[in-house]
């Protein structure tokens, strides 16, 4: 299962929008979704500052700032494709 944390900050409206989009995509493509407030972690604030939301997919930064639902969906699907089982199953379906 793909792990997708959304890094956010307190009172981030854009983070709320991205979380809603992620939940909508999650209904189509299964993944684990979490939202992480970076305000409590000085190292993450130093690294990301006000550049939120940041979407990590399997611990790799995939998207940040403004994004569309299509951008989010494509990023998750690319990550699924990198998993070996997805490649095996796609070959079986093509038969």
């Amino acid at each position: 299962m793909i792990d997708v944390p959304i890094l956010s900050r307190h009172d981030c409206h854009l983070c709320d929008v991205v979380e809603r989009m992620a939940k909508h995509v999650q209904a189509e493509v299964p993944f684990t979704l979490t939202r992480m407030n970076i305000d409590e972690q000085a190292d993450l604030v130093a690294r990301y500052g006000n550049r939120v939301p940041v979407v990590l997919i399997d611990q790799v930064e995939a998207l940040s700032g403004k994004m569309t639902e299509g951008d989010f969906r494509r990023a998750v699907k690319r990550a699924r494709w990198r998993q070996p089982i997805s490649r095996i199953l796609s070959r079986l379906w093509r038969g």
Side-chain angles (χ1 to χ4, degrees), residues 42-54:
D43 59 325
L44 293 178
V45 171
R47 182 172 183 175
Y48 296 106
N50 289 325
R51 193 174 57 93
V52 290
V54 175

Side-chain angles (χ1 to χ4, degrees), residues 4 52 61 64 70 75-76:
V4 181
V52 290
E61 184 176 332
S64 66
V76 170

Side-chain angles (χ1 to χ4, degrees), residues 48-67:
Y48 296 106
N50 289 325
R51 193 174 57 93
V52 290
V54 175
V55 175
L56 304 178
I57 299 180
D58 288 335
Q59 301 177 352
V60 176
E61 184 176 332
L63 301 162
S64 66
K66 289 184 180 180
M67 63 193 80

Side-chain angles (χ1 to χ4, degrees), residues 6-10 12 15 35-39 52-54:
I6 299 172
L7 306 182
S8 66
R9 298 201 68 180
H10 184 66
C12 173
C15 299
R35 183 165 171 177
M36 188 173 160
N37 186 337
I38 66 170
D39 287 327
V52 290
V54 175

Side-chain angles (χ1 to χ4, degrees), residues 3-21:
D3 181 41
V4 181
I6 299 172
L7 306 182
S8 66
R9 298 201 68 180
H10 184 66
D11 290 333
C12 173
H13 173 70
L14 187 54
C15 299
D16 296 336
V17 171
V18 169
E19 183 178 21
R20 282 193 301 275
M21 284 188 325

